[in-house]
Amino acid sequence: MEINKELIKNKFKEFNTKYFKGELPMPKNFVIKQYNLVAGQIRVNRKTKKPSVAIIISNCFDYNETTLNEVIIHEMIHYYLFIKGDKGAFSHKKSFKNECDRIKNNFGIEIHTTAKHIKLYDKYKIKESNIEKTLYWIVKPFKMLFD
């Protein structure tokens, strides 16, 4: 599925009304980035008088409509908890899980805490040979201690 900022923004507006009663202010930015370890991220700049929010969606994943919606709603839950003043807004602990349960119970949408269930495009997968090289350089100093 092809993603772009306008699509993410429109889905944000729709989901804000449907699932968050329109309580979320429009984020300052919607960003598409090449993240191969996470499907989405929310960034809050608290240095300004009014916090500046950006929702970031990775273009490394092969989304379908359901998985893209889930990632956007996942980030919106973090945003919602932040707006409500929850100290655990950016974790996946109790308050986050409670919101996931609310959305599942009221709307039938399951929100995962990771993107492991979403296929990563092949060109963004970490190749085993790279992992082996990385592990070699991590382990080598310890191996030398025992030689």
Side-chain angles (χ1 to χ4, degrees):
M1 175 177 205
E2 193 74 29
I3 62 170
N4 59 57
K5 292 178 189 181
E6 197 61 34
L7 174 67
I8 306 304
K9 184 177 183 178
N10 289 336
K11 285 183 175 287
F12 178 93
K13 288 178 191 175
E14 175 188 345
F15 300 156
N16 189 20
T17 303
K18 274 187 185 177
Y19 310 126
F20 300 96
K21 301 176 189 167
E23 294 180 30
L24 299 177
M26 183 60 69
K28 184 176 181 181
N29 292 309
F30 293 91
V31 181
I32 308 295
K33 282 197 171 190
Q34 287 186 356
Y35 289 157
N36 65 351
L37 298 177
V38 295
Q41 184 179 46
I42 182 166
R43 288 218 178 136
V44 178
N45 179 354
R46 296 183 187 121
K47 294 177 183 175
T48 57
K49 194 172 188 177
K50 183 180 175 187
S52 171
V53 174
I55 290 184
I56 303 163
I57 304 296
S58 171
N59 62 357
C60 296
F61 291 84
D62 187 10
Y63 301 106
N64 59 36
E65 191 79 21
T66 302
T67 56
L68 179 61
N69 291 351
E70 179 196 344
V71 169
I72 295 168
I73 294 166
H74 175 117
E75 299 312 323
M76 292 176 77
I77 292 171
H78 287 299
Y79 188 20
Y80 179 74
L81 294 171
F82 170 73
I83 293 297
K84 294 296 181 189
D86 189 302
K87 295 197 185 305
F90 302 107
S91 70
H92 295 129
K93 294 188 177 164
K94 189 176 179 180
S95 55
F96 182 87
K97 289 177 181 173
N98 287 343
E99 281 302 308
C100 292
D101 288 343
R102 177 185 68 82
I103 289 172
K104 184 175 184 177
N105 294 336
N106 294 340
F107 304 101
I109 300 168
E110 186 171 357
I111 308 297
H112 294 82
T113 55
T114 70
K116 291 178 182 176
H117 64 292
I118 307 172
K119 184 182 182 303
L120 192 64
Y121 286 121
D122 288 340
K123 68 181 181 179
Y124 297 113
K125 287 183 180 172
I126 299 171
K127 294 180 175 60
E128 278 190 43
S129 60
N130 291 345
I131 292 171
E132 290 168 1
K133 287 176 191 172
T134 303
L135 287 174
Y136 171 79
W137 289 107
I138 292 170
V139 172
K140 184 180 177 182
F142 296 105
K143 187 178 181 292
M144 291 169 52
L145 292 173
F146 301 102
D147 283 342

